[in-house]
């Protein structure tokens, strides 16, 4: 045990995800040895992020203002919405530079075993967004695991009567891998979604 | 020298995220019982495990025994039940309640539970082939898994005195009771509902499939209450189970 504030710092750091007692101690001593200006900057950013960052009132993505940068951008296609589980997924899709529409962040996936049902996600907000008829296509980009697939199935069933074009991101072989290591489900889906080579 | 590698087959019950790209997988295995193991790197798209360690998958595994958690070293799919279930929301939610019940009924880790394992595999197979109402499959699974665990409800004789001519269902007493043994709060189910419970417990699908919706609803309510009372736990998935 260290004295007073040093131990308190180690205890607080130890509450962070993936930080064990040894790592917390190492980070605490790094902070002790660091330039006071750097430490102040870190403390300031930590406070600022909690004070200023909120969730976009339209799509649920993290935003510095009431609406996020993507929802405010008039160049984005308002007719297509890509539905994702978390804000991290928005960043991953934005990196591809393939998608020019808007997003809707659900805040998770349906997981009955964890007690998370459709009412715990931002599905009601999505339905409100679709009510004015401006959106013509919805891309379901939930994770390609069981919970993500179940969420996509639930949404597809819910949206069917609205007559929208509902699409799901393709599943298949990862680029750069070996076919022999692909599992049966992934390989099966790759066959289902094969495309014509027009050369 | 102690052999730390072992092989078994099992059904994946639950997964939890661990660190950057790993998962802790809970598996009900044929020989070892319920096992918790780390699947390293399984969340990466390039993982060699792919979809093999998703819930509902019946897998052939090689595991490395660890001090607190084992480590999955190899996995081969035997039956990917999740593929059929995930495209049908009522079946998916019923299947999730089955997995959660299997986990709760096998309370001790690495205590062999062969009959629970076989029952779960059979239940998932029936659920995935789509031949019966998922609520019936779920209730049949609940009743039979309770029976395997030693909590089978008495349905034809009084659970307390053994008398014939039972009319009420008392969860606390352990099933149907006669007029003399009836406790306050006991339900009075319709005779076809009790007949449906008997059919589900015995695997008489012809009788179960012919039952009426109102009796299925009453049966589901009684079975769910009976299960949760005996487990001393709520089944979280149950509130999300969708009726067809």
């Amino acid at each position: 045990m260290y004295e007073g504030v040093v131990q308190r710092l180690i205890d607080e750091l130890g509450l962070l995800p993936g930080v064990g007692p040894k790592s917390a101690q190492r980070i605490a001593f790094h902070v002790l040895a660091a330039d006071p200006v750097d430490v102040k900057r870190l403390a300031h950013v930590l406070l600022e992020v909690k004070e200023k960052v909120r969730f976009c009132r339209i799509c649920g993505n993290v935003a510095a203002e009431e609406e996020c940068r993507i929802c405010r951008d008039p160049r984005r296609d308002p007719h297509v919405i890509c539905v994702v589980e978390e804000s991290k997924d928005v960043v991953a899709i934005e990196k591809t530079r393939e998608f020019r529409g808007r997003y809707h962040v659900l805040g998770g996936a349906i997981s009955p075993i964890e007690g998370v049902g459709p009412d715990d996600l931002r599905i009601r907000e999505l339905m409100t967004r679709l009510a004015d008829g401006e959106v013509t296509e919805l891309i379901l980009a939930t994770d390609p695991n069981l919970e993500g697939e179940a969420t996509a199935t639930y949404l597809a069933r819910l949206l069917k009567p609205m007559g929208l074009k509902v699409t799901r991101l393709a599943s298949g072989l990862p680029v750069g891998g070996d076919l022999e290591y692909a599992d049966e489900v992934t390989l099966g889906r790759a066959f289902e979604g094969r495309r014509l080579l027009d050369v | 020298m102690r052999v730390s590698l072992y092989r078994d087959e099992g059904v994946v019950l639950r997964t939890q995220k661990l660190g950057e790209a790993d998962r802790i997988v809970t598996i009900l295995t044929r020989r070892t019982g319920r096992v918790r193991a780390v699947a390293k790197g399984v969340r990466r798209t390039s993982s060699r495990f792919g979809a093999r360690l998703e819930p509902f998958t019946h897998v052939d595994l090689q595991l490395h025994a660890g001090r607190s958690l084992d480590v999955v070293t190899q996995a081969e799919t035997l039956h990917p039940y999740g593929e059929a279930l995930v495209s049908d929301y009522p079946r998916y939610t019923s299947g999730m309640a089955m997995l959660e019940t299997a986990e709760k009924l096998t309370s001790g880790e690495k205590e062999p539970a062969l009959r629970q394992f076989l029952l779960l595999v059979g239940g998932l197979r029936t659920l995935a082939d789509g031949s019966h109402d998922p609520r019936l499959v779920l209730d049949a699974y609940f009743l039979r898994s309770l029976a395997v665990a030693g909590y089978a409800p008495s349905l034809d004789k009084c659970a307390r005195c053994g008398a014939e001519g039972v009319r009420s269902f008392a969860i606390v007493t352990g099933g149907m009771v006669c007029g003399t043994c009836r406790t306050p709060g006991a339900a009075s189910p319709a005779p076809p509902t009790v007949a449906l419970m008997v059919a589900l417990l015995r695997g008489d699908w012809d009788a179960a499939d012919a039952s009426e919706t109102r009796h299925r609803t009453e049966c589901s309510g009684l079975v769910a209450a009976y299960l949760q009372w005996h487990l001393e736990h709520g089944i979280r998935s149950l509130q999300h189970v969708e009726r067809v």
Side-chain angles (χ1 to χ4, degrees), chain A residues 1-198:
Chain A
M1 288 286 280
Y2 294 91
E3 280 184 33
V5 71
V6 179
Q7 187 58 44
R8 267 169 45 214
L9 177 61
I10 293 172
D11 292 344
E12 289 298 326
L13 289 168
L15 297 175
L16 297 173
V19 180
K22 278 281 176 201
S23 310
Q25 188 176 303
R26 202 168 64 243
I27 299 167
F29 277 93
H30 172 80
V31 170
L32 281 176
D35 191 321
V37 178
D38 294 337
V39 178
K40 269 188 188 151
R41 199 173 55 241
L42 173 67
H44 181 68
V45 169
L46 283 174
L47 288 173
E48 199 179 359
V49 81
K50 277 313 282 181
E51 280 166 13
K52 290 191 178 166
V53 174
R54 60 186 88 178
F55 294 101
C56 172
R57 70 173 179 88
I58 299 173
C59 71
N61 192 9
V62 283
E65 294 174 36
E66 202 173 322
E67 290 173 14
C68 72
R69 185 176 47 80
I70 296 170
C71 287
R72 277 181 293 148
D73 188 345
R75 291 166 300 173
R76 307 289 300 217
D77 184 355
H79 305 297
V80 188
I81 290 181
C82 180
V83 181
V84 295
E85 289 182 18
E86 308 280 353
S87 297
K88 291 179 281 187
D89 303 326
V90 173
V91 177
I93 296 172
E94 283 296 286
K95 277 186 191 166
T96 66
R97 296 170 185 264
E98 289 279 334
F99 180 64
R100 297 301 302 159
R102 293 189 172 156
Y103 292 92
H104 190 86
V105 181
L106 291 173
I110 296 173
S111 176
I113 210 161
E114 302 293 340
V116 181
D119 294 342
D120 302 305
L121 305 177
R122 298 183 71 256
I123 293 176
R124 203 173 296 119
E125 288 85 342
L126 175 66
M127 300 311 278
T128 310
R129 282 182 81 180
L130 301 175
D132 64 3
E134 194 183 17
V135 177
T136 53
E137 184 182 354
L138 211 68
I139 302 170
L140 302 178
T142 49
D143 287 347
N145 55 31
L146 195 85
E147 288 161 1
E149 294 290 348
T151 310
T153 303
Y154 180 86
L155 285 174
R157 198 184 59 169
L158 195 68
L159 297 162
K160 203 174 179 183
M162 300 178 84
L164 285 171
K165 182 181 175 188
V166 180
T167 53
R168 175 91 176 108
L169 282 194
S171 291
L173 300 170
V175 178
D178 285 6
L179 190 105
E180 62 169 311
Y181 289 112
D183 67 280
E184 299 75 6
V185 174
T186 308
L187 199 52
R189 291 212 190 153
F191 264 98
E192 261 176 44
R194 69 190 185 277
R195 64 193 164 88
L196 194 67
L197 272 185
D198 193 11

Side-chain angles (χ1 to χ4, degrees), chain B residues 115-219:
Chain B
R115 290 179 68 197
Q116 288 289 0
F117 168 78
L118 294 173
L119 194 65
L120 181 64
V121 171
L124 291 178
R125 191 188 303 126
T126 312
L127 196 62
D129 72 22
S131 50
H132 305 286
D133 175 355
R135 262 324 284 237
L136 287 180
V137 180
L138 180 62
D139 289 338
Y141 173 77
F142 282 162
L143 285 167
R144 289 190 224 168
S145 61
L146 279 165
V148 168
Y151 300 120
S154 173
L155 295 172
D156 51 355
K157 285 180 183 166
C158 176
R160 181 174 281 168
C161 68
E164 306 270 345
V166 286
R167 278 206 305 269
S168 306
F169 190 84
I171 290 165
V172 182
T173 317
M176 297 300 289
V177 286
C178 65
T180 319
C181 299
R182 189 183 194 280
T183 49
S188 300
T193 302
V194 183
L196 174 59
M197 288 166 80
V198 172
L200 291 174
L201 193 57
R202 290 183 185 156
D204 181 355
W205 283 107
D206 290 339
D209 288 337
S211 61
E212 290 179 36
T213 308
R214 61 196 166 113
H215 299 132
R216 291 182 190 186
T217 308
E218 191 176 33
C219 170

